[in-house]
Each structure stands twice: as C-alpha cells, then as structure tokens.
Amino acid sequence: MTVRNFTGPPPLDWDDLRVFLELARTGSLSAAARSLRLSHATVGRRLAALEEALGQTLVERRPDGYVLTGEGESVRALAEAMDERAQAIRRREGNGEGGGEDAGAGLTGTVRLTMTQALADRFVIPRLGPLRAAHPGLDLEVIADNRTLSLARREADLAIRLARPQRGDLVGRRLATLGYGLYAAPDAPDALIAYDESMAELPEALWLDRHGGGRRVAFRSNSVQGQLAAAVAGFGIAFLPCLLADGVPGLERRPLPGPPLTREAWLLVHRDRRDVPRVRAVIGHLVAVFSAEHARLEGR
C-alpha cells in the first residue's frame, strides 16, 4: 500500500498570475506568448498550474479565443491591482526616492470605454486631453456602439449608458441628466426626421411618435448623428440630444409641443474592476467632466 502525504494545494506563483493576466488582456494564447516572449506550451502550462493552485477554472477555451469565467474575472481584478502595485514599487526603486509617489502618477495599461457614437464623438473624446496629459502612459480604447457590451465578460471596463442597470454585479454612478429638443433649419419643411424601426422603442422615438402631431416623416435613420446631418440638410424637424445639436450652425431650436424628455447618463463599472487604479483614474476624470458641464448637457 502506498501512503501519500497530503500537503494541500500548491502555492501561488506570481509568474503564473502574470501569464494569466496577459492572456486575459489579449484573449489569445499566441498573443500572450508573443507579448511575454514565452512559448505557447509555457503559457498553457502556467495557466494550468494557476487553475490547479486555485482549484478553479479561470478561462473557457473557445474556437475564437479565451473568455474569462466568473472566477477568472475575479482573479483578473485582483491580479490587475497586484500588477499596478508592483509597477509602483518598481517606479519608486527606479527613482531612488524614499518618499511616497502620488497615487495617480505614472499609471499604465489600457482602459476600455463604451458609449454611444454621438456621446463619444461630440462630448467625451474631445474632453480626454487633460486625462492624457495627467497620465501619458495610460492607453484608452473607446468603443462607440449602441449595443450593450458586457462588462462582466470584459468587453469593456467602463460603460456610459442611458439607463440605470436593473441587475448584474455592476456599480453605477449617475453622471448627468441629458435634455432633448426639437431642431430644424430655418426654412425646413413641416416634416419629421425620426428613428427607423430598429430603434422604435427608444424613449426619444416614443416621444416623437406621441407628440409629432401626425406629421410626415421625411427622413429616418438609426443614427443620431445621421439625423443631425439630415436636419442641417433641411429635411425637417429632428428630436435630438441638446449636447449634440445646440450651437450647430444652420440649426435653430423649436418649441416643444409636449412635456420635455430627459434621460440619465450612468457610468457603470463591474464591482471587481472599480478599485483598479487606472480604471479609478478614468472614472474620476469622467465624473469631473460631466459635473462641470451639467447645464449644457441638460440643454439649459
């Protein structure tokens, strides 16, 4: 009979965590191997060792790449925070300074933001300059899309959405109230510019249906910026976010035939990502930007 000593789970190895973190960032075994200058076999072996040490499955292997499981998302958030702190220690050693470093200085890595195209192009992106100046090592990816990308699956780190989440492990903060108005060229015909059927359930589309007065719809689009362009071109009257249409040459604001419509902009982050320093820095910048321009966003 063979007697084996039970020694418990193997200890965690930081190199295994580092490999897992790069795989989580790239989503590809080959990309992680290239980034770390390791072989495919070494990356796979270290991932297996980490999963064995934790007793958890961290990734799902799919034909198009690797996707983190729920446990993998939690481990990634902790590993990101560890990596940030390790980088801070290296920076202090490199500077040869005994004093503390500002918690926001020298941040590196990528933060992914998702929001609508109009909000990204006309408001957020033009106001990211001070964030870049404060953290030149920080890389940003802005995914401008009307689709609801998943924060849990790491399709994005932060999302700005026009509705408060009703479920999910997300932390939300209301950024602003967005006002809407009717806009048209001075000589525009008494016709409407509206959403197409794919967007018919949006609050602004429903408002226009209710208060449009039975006018002919002369132009339809699933793009808010497309509707703005149609209004400038003189197709008719468009119901648009004030942040998009106020001050556009060739447009004037028309009186509302019904009660005003407002929507709330929420900044969302997965609970496991909110304490990652670079994510926290972007959150702070966005909150300050929206707070400073709340009157414009409301359309006042």
Side-chain angles (χ1 to χ4, degrees):
M1 179 173 60
T2 301
V3 178
R4 297 178 179 175
N5 293 325
F6 177 73
T7 59
L12 284 179
D13 187 322
W14 167 244
D15 285 335
D16 295 344
L17 279 168
R18 185 170 60 91
V19 167
F20 163 73
L21 187 55
E22 192 61 30
L23 178 62
R25 288 169 175 168
T26 62
S28 162
L29 195 72
S30 58
R34 285 195 302 271
S35 176
L36 296 170
R37 298 183 180 180
L38 299 173
S39 68
H40 287 61
T42 299
V43 172
R45 185 172 63 252
R46 288 201 172 276
L47 174 62
L50 181 61
E51 290 183 322
E52 180 183 359
L54 296 175
Q56 297 175 332
T57 300
L58 303 180
V59 299
E60 294 179 2
R61 296 156 180 84
R62 298 182 180 176
D64 57 345
Y66 287 74
V67 177
L68 298 187
T69 63
E71 293 82 1
E73 291 286 355
S74 298
V75 172
R76 174 181 177 146
L78 295 171
E80 290 270 19
M82 292 171 64
D83 187 52
E84 294 280 2
R85 285 159 177 77
Q87 294 296 333
I89 292 171
R90 292 189 184 102
R91 287 192 297 270
R92 285 188 59 178
E93 291 173 346
N95 291 336
E97 295 174 0
E101 183 181 33
D102 179 74
L107 295 178
T108 60
T110 300
V111 178
R112 297 178 182 88
L113 313 172
T114 180
M115 67 198 76
T116 65
Q117 186 83 51
L119 191 59
D121 291 351
R122 295 299 297 272
F123 188 77
V124 173
I125 293 176
R127 291 163 176 78
L128 292 177
L131 178 65
R132 183 207 61 79
H135 306 293
L138 193 63
D139 299 325
L140 296 179
E141 292 183 14
V142 177
I143 306 166
D145 204 318
N146 289 324
R147 294 177 301 134
T148 302
L149 301 184
S150 172
L151 300 181
R153 293 196 301 271
R154 289 287 290 114
E155 293 176 332
D157 297 301
L158 296 169
I160 300 177
R161 295 180 182 157
L162 301 186
R164 185 174 187 172
Q166 300 301 314
R167 60 184 181 276
D169 196 19
L170 302 178
V171 178
R173 174 168 183 162
R174 189 173 69 83
L175 288 174
T177 299
L178 305 183
Y180 285 73
L182 289 173
Y183 297 87
D187 57 349
D190 192 29
L192 296 180
I193 296 168
Y195 285 96
D196 67 8
E197 292 183 0
S198 69
M199 315 289 278
E201 297 304 314
L202 286 179
E204 47 268 47
L206 295 173
W207 187 98
L208 196 59
D209 284 344
R210 188 174 301 118
H211 302 290
R215 293 178 176 85
R216 177 174 70 95
V217 177
F219 186 95
R220 291 186 185 274
S221 175
N222 66 344
S223 163
V224 179
Q225 300 208 84
Q227 293 180 48
L228 174 67
V232 173
F235 276 88
I237 306 167
F239 189 54
L240 299 169
C242 299
L243 73 92
L244 184 68
D246 276 350
V248 172
L251 287 185
E252 61 182 21
R253 197 163 172 178
R254 301 284 182 88
L256 293 176
L261 173 75
T262 60
R263 298 190 67 183
E264 292 184 339
W266 285 80
L267 179 62
L268 308 179
V269 60
H270 194 275
R271 194 176 303 277
D272 291 340
R273 300 288 293 160
R274 61 179 173 175
D275 290 328
V276 175
R278 64 174 176 272
V279 174
R280 199 164 60 240
V282 177
I283 290 173
H285 180 75
L286 292 174
V287 168
V289 162
F290 276 81
S291 176
E293 302 201 40
H294 65 91
R296 179 184 176 218
L297 294 167
E298 292 173 8
R300 294 192 277 120

